């Protein structure tokens, strides 16, 4: 996947305004099959796969180490009672697979890395209506609810994505992916690269593994408490004890940051309050939708009690500039949600 | 790339300078630099009247990818800045050698300009790093 196909900013706008396609085949689909895969996933994931009460439902979750740090963030799909599909980040997949294999020794589970599959994500307000006819006459496809998937012949289609827009993620045999890509482009869908993928997900307030998520930080420190299934208390998932201890003294807040001055926020910039370091940006960049620079950041929780909390400074290469703490996301379904 | 304007002289760090005729130097970044940086979203310029030394950090250009310092090709005093870039940083991408100029200086002397790389020498440095 290239950084861009010409203009990163233009690609970003195309996804917000009409439709774009991302070749995310570098991500890794893994199928878990067997009578114990539910039990295995209940142990491996901080979210509870038992929330998937029927086939064709999807769940976002972190996979944690015993310290509560994030090994990876992933989507798990329930294909059948004893068949689940995980989609893993490319950079973490090898480590994930080792971790999963190591913990599956006492479980009856077959783990299959699907190297035969490609993944094309079509995203944007018109993405579904353009994509659907190209996939064939698939019953129920346009009625597929968000965060659900369906399978039809060799196609696996999920109504999920990483842009804050509606759309499909289509997992299909690699041999057929080129043709679908060409048909999408011919139908007017813009090819979109990694650069726009990053600004789109940042505007949508979605975490990127390796920047906003890492093995040193728990989901509680990356705004992902909603992905932790604390109930039932009897479910003993890896990292639970560490998270429980951390939860009793919440020590950071994950939030959006809007640059009030001119300039560009990047990851790793220090946030200041009355000249004290109170946080750090984990992702940052120029938002083409807001036409302002934005960041995701981790801020000390005790600063949040200060009424001036929403006004902080950021250190941009030695110069202090004004920033405002704002709720995530910045953009939802094409609309700016941040007061500018 | 091969048709670099012949009136320009360069720093190896991809800044160019042009003699304006009134004794001033116009400063910008090369086509190669804007291409490598990608789409610009912000340009921070010096202020009129600022004193700059040759090789000093004088401006910052920020693209969708990264920030990059701009070094001043000659010692002198800033006489003009390209104010259009505040709204249109992409002019640097579109037109690096004319509409996308960054600022002008009144050089202290002619020696710094004379010491810069000519177009051919600059092109040779690009080939070395390719």
């Amino acid at each position: 996947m290239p950084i861009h196909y010409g203009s990163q900013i233009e690609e970003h706008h195309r996804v917000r305004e009409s439709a774009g396609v991302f070749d995310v085949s570098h991500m890794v689909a893994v199928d878990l099959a067997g009578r114990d895969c539910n039990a295995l996933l209940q142990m491996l994931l901080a979210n509870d796969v038992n929330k998937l009460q029927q086939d064709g439902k999807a769940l976002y979750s972190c996979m944690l180490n015993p310290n509560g740090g994030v090994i990876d963030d992933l989507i798990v799909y329930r294909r059948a009672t004893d068949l689940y599909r995980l989609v893993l980040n490319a950079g973490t997949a090898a480590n994930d697979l080792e971790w999963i294999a190591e913990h599956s020794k006492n479980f009856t589970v077959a783990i299959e890395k699907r190297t035969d599959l490609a993944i094309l994500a079509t995203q944007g307000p018109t993405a579904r209506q353009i994509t659907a006819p190209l996939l064939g006459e698939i019953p129920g496809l346009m009625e597929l609810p968000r965060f659900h998937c369906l399978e039809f012949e060799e196609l696996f289609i999920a109504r999920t994505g990483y842009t804050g827009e509606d759309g499909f993620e289509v997992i299909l045999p690699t041999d057929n992916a080129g043709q679908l890509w060409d048909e999408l482009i011919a139908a007017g869908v813009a090819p979109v690269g990694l650069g726009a993928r990053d600004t789109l997900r940042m505007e949508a307030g979605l975490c990127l593994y390796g920047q906003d998520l890492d093995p040193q930080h728990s989901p509680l420190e990356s705004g992902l408490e909603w992905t932790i299934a604390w109930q039932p208390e009897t479910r003993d998932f890896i990292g639970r004890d560490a998270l429980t201890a951390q939860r009793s003294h919440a020590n950071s807040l994950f939030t959006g940051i809007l640059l009030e001055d001119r300039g560009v926020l990047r990851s790793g910039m220090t946030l200041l309050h009355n000249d004290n370091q109170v946080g750090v940006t984990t992702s940052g960049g120029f938002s083409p939708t807001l036409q302002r620079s934005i960041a995701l950041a981790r801020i000390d929780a005790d600063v949040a009690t200060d009424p001036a909390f929403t006004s902080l400074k950021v250190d941009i290469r030695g110069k202090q500039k004004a920033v405002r703490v704002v709720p995530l996301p910045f953009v939802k379904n094409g609309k700016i949600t941040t007061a500018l | 790339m091969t048709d670099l304007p012949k009136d320009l002289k360069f720093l190896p760090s991809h800044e160019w300078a042009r003699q304006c005729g009134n004794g001033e130097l116009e400063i910008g970044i090369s086509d190669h630099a804007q291409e490598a940086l990608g789409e610009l979203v912000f340009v921070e310029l010096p202020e009129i009247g600022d004193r700059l030394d040759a090789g000093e950090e004088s401006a910052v250009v920020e693209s969708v990818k990264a920030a990059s310092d701009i070094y001043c090709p000659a010692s002198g005093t800033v006489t003009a800045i390209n104010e259009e870039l505040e709204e249109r940083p992409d002019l640097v991408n579109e037109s690096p050698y004319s509409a996308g100029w960054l600022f002008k200086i009144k050089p202290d002397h002619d020696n710094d300009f004379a010491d810069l790389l000519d177009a051919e020498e600059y092109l040779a440095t690009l080939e070395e790093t390719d």
Side-chain angles (χ1 to χ4, degrees):
Chain A
M1 189 176 187
I3 301 288
H4 60 77
Y5 293 87
S7 165
Q8 173 175 327
I9 293 173
E10 175 60 23
E11 289 163 23
H12 181 110
H13 290 312
R14 290 286 293 275
V15 172
R16 288 275 179 253
E17 288 159 14
S18 51
V21 55
F22 305 76
D23 178 2
V24 286
S25 303
H26 56 284
M27 297 187 78
V28 178
V30 174
D31 287 336
L32 300 184
R35 64 178 162 87
D36 290 338
C37 51
N38 174 280
L40 175 66
L41 288 168
Q42 282 209 298
M43 182 186 77
L44 286 175
L45 301 182
N47 214 337
D48 186 353
V49 286
N50 275 357
K51 288 181 185 171
L52 304 178
Q53 285 293 327
Q54 64 204 54
D55 300 342
K57 287 198 77 176
L59 184 74
Y60 174 71
S61 182
C62 291
M63 184 161 70
L64 307 179
N65 62 34
N67 299 325
V70 180
I71 294 174
D72 202 1
D73 66 322
L74 55 87
I75 292 181
V76 54
Y77 300 92
R78 181 172 138 181
R79 303 178 62 193
T81 314
D82 294 332
L83 179 62
Y84 290 83
R85 172 165 290 173
L86 310 180
V87 176
L88 308 173
N89 283 304
T92 44
N95 187 40
D96 292 352
L97 284 163
E98 241 175 77
W99 181 261
I100 295 167
E102 197 179 302
H103 289 86
S104 65
K105 281 175 189 151
N106 298 320
F107 293 83
T108 302
V109 174
I111 304 165
E112 189 188 1
K113 181 181 172 189
R114 298 297 303 267
T115 52
D116 55 323
L117 300 178
I119 310 177
L120 298 182
T122 62
Q123 301 276 292
T126 63
R128 288 190 311 133
Q129 72 193 60
I130 299 176
T131 309
L134 302 177
L135 298 174
E137 294 292 319
I138 302 179
L141 179 57
M142 283 309 284
E143 291 74 41
L144 186 69
R146 287 187 190 236
F147 250 72
H148 283 65
C149 62
L150 63 74
E151 301 190 40
F152 185 80
E153 294 170 356
E154 290 184 304
L155 296 171
F156 176 103
I157 304 157
R159 193 168 165 195
T160 49
Y162 192 47
T163 61
E165 297 297 328
D166 205 347
F168 290 135
E169 291 183 297
V170 183
I171 305 182
L172 73 174
T174 304
D175 291 344
N176 304 344
Q179 190 190 337
L180 177 59
W181 173 271
D182 292 343
E183 288 173 1
L184 286 163
I185 304 302
V189 178
V192 188
L194 268 180
R197 184 169 166 81
D198 193 44
T199 50
L200 287 159
R201 68 89 196 169
M202 225 186 298
E203 288 182 348
L206 300 171
C207 291
L208 173 63
Y209 193 85
Q211 286 191 201
D212 313 296
L213 300 170
D214 59 55
Q216 283 73 47
H217 293 92
S218 82
L220 293 172
E221 296 167 289
S222 297
L224 296 179
E225 175 151 15
W226 64 275
T227 70
I228 302 166
W230 301 100
Q231 302 295 335
E233 282 175 30
T234 48
R235 188 176 68 94
D236 189 19
F237 63 87
I238 297 170
R240 177 169 198 134
D241 293 347
L243 288 188
T244 303
Q246 196 182 57
R247 192 189 191 189
S248 61
H249 56 92
N251 54 15
S252 67
L253 174 80
F254 194 79
T255 185
I257 295 287
L258 178 71
L259 183 63
E260 303 273 28
D261 288 334
R262 298 177 69 240
V264 184
L265 299 168
R266 310 282 180 186
S267 65
M269 288 181 170
T270 302
L271 295 166
L272 302 150
H273 184 236
N274 298 334
D275 284 330
N276 298 314
Q277 294 191 12
V278 295
V280 64
T281 58
T282 51
S283 286
F286 179 78
S287 156
T289 308
L290 275 65
Q291 289 290 307
R292 295 275 288 276
S293 186
I294 59 170
L296 307 184
R298 201 170 277 134
I299 298 177
D300 297 349
D302 50 354
V303 181
T305 58
D306 191 307
F309 167 61
T310 56
S311 313
L312 300 177
K313 300 278 187 192
V314 64
D315 184 324
I316 300 186
R317 293 181 309 279
K319 285 184 192 160
Q320 286 196 14
K321 298 200 172 189
V323 294
R324 178 150 44 100
V325 177
V326 296
L328 294 171
F330 299 95
V331 178
K332 192 174 186 183
N333 293 324
K335 301 277 182 300
I336 296 173
T337 51
T338 306
L340 295 177
Chain B
M1 186 61 70
T2 46
D3 55 352
L4 279 179
K6 296 292 180 233
D7 57 336
L8 300 186
K9 297 193 86 170
F10 295 85
L11 281 177
S13 50
H14 313 290
E15 295 82 357
W16 57 257
R18 170 190 280 136
Q19 285 181 313
C20 299
N22 60 355
E24 292 178 1
L25 288 180
E26 189 175 52
I27 314 291
I29 66 169
S30 74
D31 188 44
H32 175 87
Q34 71 77 19
E35 182 76 41
L37 280 163
E39 294 168 281
L40 293 197
V41 293
F42 174 61
V43 178
E44 185 180 328
L45 296 172
E47 287 179 23
I48 292 171
D50 280 0
R51 284 269 326 138
L52 297 170
D53 287 328
E56 187 179 343
E57 291 168 15
S58 53
V60 179
V61 293
E62 298 229 23
S63 73
V64 288
K65 279 189 253 174
S68 183
D69 288 321
I70 304 303
Y71 300 100
C72 195
S75 300
T77 306
V78 178
T79 55
I81 57 173
N82 187 351
E83 283 168 359
E84 258 196 277
L85 299 182
E86 183 164 341
E87 293 299 318
R88 294 281 317 275
D90 56 307
L91 283 177
V92 179
N93 298 112
E94 231 169 68
S95 175
Y97 299 125
S98 57
W101 64 279
L102 300 178
F103 60 93
K104 293 178 185 176
I105 62 166
K106 171 96 185 126
D108 294 342
H109 46 70
D110 293 337
N111 303 357
D112 290 336
F113 184 78
D115 289 345
L116 296 173
L117 306 176
D118 64 27
E120 230 167 83
E121 290 168 322
Y122 173 65
L123 281 178
T125 68
L126 297 183
E127 276 154 26
E128 278 166 33
T129 51
D130 275 349

